[in-house]
Amino acid sequence: MLARARTASYPGSQLRELPPHLVEAGFEEIDGALKLRPHFASVVDFQRHDIRESVPAGPFDFVLCRNAAFIY
């Protein structure tokens, strides 16, 4: 999933609920997919951490934890 996320490329159906002006500002169409513009993609870093074992070094501006709210 991280490898897929790092491509920053999404089918249009995944962004259908995003307001059109944000799609236009943040994405460009490449090979039939919407790819996050380099300006935005360059400041995103995807990392895998197991929060049960250690706390990752910060600081972070935004953190998403898959399943953390539901399992841990």
Side-chain angles (χ1 to χ4, degrees), residues 8-67:
S9 183
Y10 307 91
S13 62
Q14 286 188 335
L15 302 175
R16 68 180 172 268
E17 294 185 29
L18 195 61
H21 72 280
L22 294 178
V23 173
E24 185 177 319
F27 298 85
E28 54 191 341
E29 189 169 344
I30 299 177
D31 298 327
L34 294 172
K35 185 163 179 70
L36 192 61
R37 294 186 187 277
H39 170 76
F40 298 109
S42 67
V43 296
V44 176
D45 183 28
F46 293 95
Q47 300 178 16
R48 182 180 186 278
H49 293 280
D50 187 337
I51 60 174
R52 298 169 300 172
E53 293 183 14
S54 66
V55 177
F60 300 103
D61 293 315
F62 187 62
V63 175
L64 295 174
C65 296
R66 183 175 180 257
N67 298 328

